[in-house]
Amino acid sequence: MVKFLAVGGLAILFSASVAAVDYQEHDGMLMNHGDGHLMDMAGGMVMGQNADTLPGGCDSISETKEITVHAGHKYAEKFPGRMFAFDTQEYQFKPCTKLTVHFVNEDKIRHQWMMHGLPKYLYPKGMFHLEVSGPAKISGTLILPPGDKTYLVHCDIAQHMEKGMKAQLKVGKGDGDLPSIPGVTANVIADDYKVGLPELIATAAEADKQAAVAPPVPDVISPAAASTAVPAQPEGFFSGVMVIGLAAGLLLGPYLARKFHGMSASEIIATIFEGVALLVERGVKLLSALLKLVSGNKSNVLPKV
C-alpha cells in the first residue's frame, strides 16, 4: 500500500512538471475587436490580421505558406553579445503570398513578432503583430504585398531588438539587406570582444597616471609664440578714449547746462537731434567744397614751357 501511494505520488509530480512546460494555446481564446485586431485576457494579441483581402497589385494569391517561429533566450547563444533571438533570422516568400505565422514564445517573459512597412490602407499602422506573454503559442495570417521589398521583423519590447531579436523578411527578391541582422548582416557598430574588463581597467588607470604626471605649462613664452601673440590691451582704469571723453564733458558741461535749462526731456532730445543734423549738414557741405576744389585743380591745363 505504501509503495502504491509512493508510486502514485511520483506519477502526479512527474505529470505536473511535464504540464508546467506545456505552451498555452491562445488561438481559441482570442476575441475579435475589428480591423484585424484580436486579443485575449491572458496576454495574447494579433494585430493586422488579413486572410481575405488582396493588396493592391495582387490579382490572386500566389501561394499559401505556414511558418513556425520560435523566440527565446536560448536562440541568442550562437550570437555573441546578444540576449534574445528568433530561431530564424531571414525569410523569403513570393509576392502576394498568404502567410500564416505560428509564433512560439519559449521564455517566461513577453515577446513579439512584428512586421513593419506594410500598406496602411490595408494594415492599420502599417504592421502585422503577434504577441504573447510567457511560454505560449499564437497564430495570425496576412497576405504579403506585391513587388520586391525587404521588411523588418522584430520584437518591440524595450531593448529586445537591440539585444538580438530581429530578422528580415524578403518579398520576391527583396530590395537589399537590413543592417545588424544577427548572423545575416554586419552590425552598424561592431562589437569588440578582444579586450576584457581587466585590460580596460588597466588602460584607464595608465591614462590617469600619465595625466597626473604631465609636465606643467611653461611660464616663459618662446620667441616664436611671442611673435604671434595678440598684443595685450592696457589694463589701466583711465584709457585714452576715457580721458578724451572726460575732458569733453568738463568743457561742454557748463554750456549744455545753460542750453538745456528749463527744457523737458523730449525737448532736450529734439534739440540734440537738431544739433546732430546741423553738424552732419555742415560736414557734407565742407566735404563737397573740398572735392570741388580738388577736381578744379586737376582740370587746369599746365602752361607750355
Side-chain angles (χ1 to χ4, degrees), residues 31-297:
M31 297 175 287
N32 192 340
H33 294 264
D35 294 328
H37 186 181
L38 300 88
M39 64 183 300
D40 60 23
M41 301 301 294
M45 183 183 301
V46 178
M47 295 181 65
Q49 169 119 307
N50 172 35
D52 303 310
T53 306
L54 288 172
C58 292
D59 297 328
S60 61
I61 293 175
S62 60
E63 59 182 1
T64 300
K65 292 286 186 179
E66 292 189 25
I67 59 172
T68 299
V69 179
H70 294 264
H73 172 68
K74 71 177 184 180
Y75 299 107
E77 293 177 356
K78 60 183 178 180
F79 304 119
R82 300 297 176 260
M83 182 63 68
F84 305 111
F86 300 124
D87 62 334
T88 304
Q89 281 66 47
E90 188 172 31
Y91 314 89
Q92 189 162 13
F93 302 99
K94 293 180 180 180
C96 307
T97 294
K98 182 176 181 179
L99 177 64
T100 297
V101 181
H102 305 289
F103 181 53
V104 181
N105 180 5
E106 299 186 12
D107 287 342
K108 294 182 179 180
I109 59 174
R110 183 184 298 268
H111 283 315
Q112 302 168 336
W113 195 88
M114 299 176 63
M115 181 176 173
H116 287 277
L118 296 168
K120 293 184 178 180
Y121 67 85
L122 188 57
Y123 297 94
K125 299 183 179 181
M127 70 177 183
F128 174 74
H129 176 128
L130 300 175
E131 178 176 332
V132 283
S133 298
K137 173 180 172 293
I138 196 168
S139 302
T141 302
L142 76 159
I143 301 176
L144 299 176
D148 299 321
K149 187 173 179 178
T150 303
Y151 296 88
L152 171 66
V153 178
H154 74 118
C155 178
D156 200 37
I157 301 298
Q159 296 298 313
H160 285 201
M161 180 178 73
E162 290 78 4
K163 294 181 182 297
M165 192 163 279
K166 62 187 299 188
Q168 63 182 14
L169 188 151
K170 291 185 176 181
V171 174
K173 298 179 180 179
D175 58 353
D177 291 321
L178 301 177
S180 301
I181 302 297
V184 179
T185 56
N187 295 331
V188 175
I189 301 177
D191 296 325
D192 184 6
Y193 299 100
K194 297 178 182 179
V195 180
L197 184 58
E199 290 82 359
L200 292 175
I201 294 175
T203 302
E206 183 64 24
D208 293 340
K209 182 179 179 181
Q210 292 180 359
V213 300
V217 179
D219 296 332
V220 180
I221 302 176
S222 64
S227 63
T228 59
V230 178
Q233 299 297 325
E235 298 180 357
F237 179 77
F238 292 102
S239 63
V241 177
M242 182 176 289
V243 171
I244 294 174
L246 290 174
L250 292 174
L251 293 175
L252 297 176
Y255 169 76
L256 294 176
R258 292 193 301 270
K259 180 70 174 177
F260 298 142
H261 180 69
M263 292 185 180
S264 62
S266 59
E267 291 174 339
I268 293 174
I269 294 174
T271 303
I272 291 174
F273 277 111
E274 288 178 2
V276 172
L278 181 61
L279 289 175
V280 172
E281 183 180 356
R282 290 182 179 180
V284 171
K285 288 182 179 179
L286 179 60
L287 181 60
S288 177
L290 290 174
L291 292 175
K292 287 181 181 179
L293 179 61
V294 173
S295 61
N297 291 334

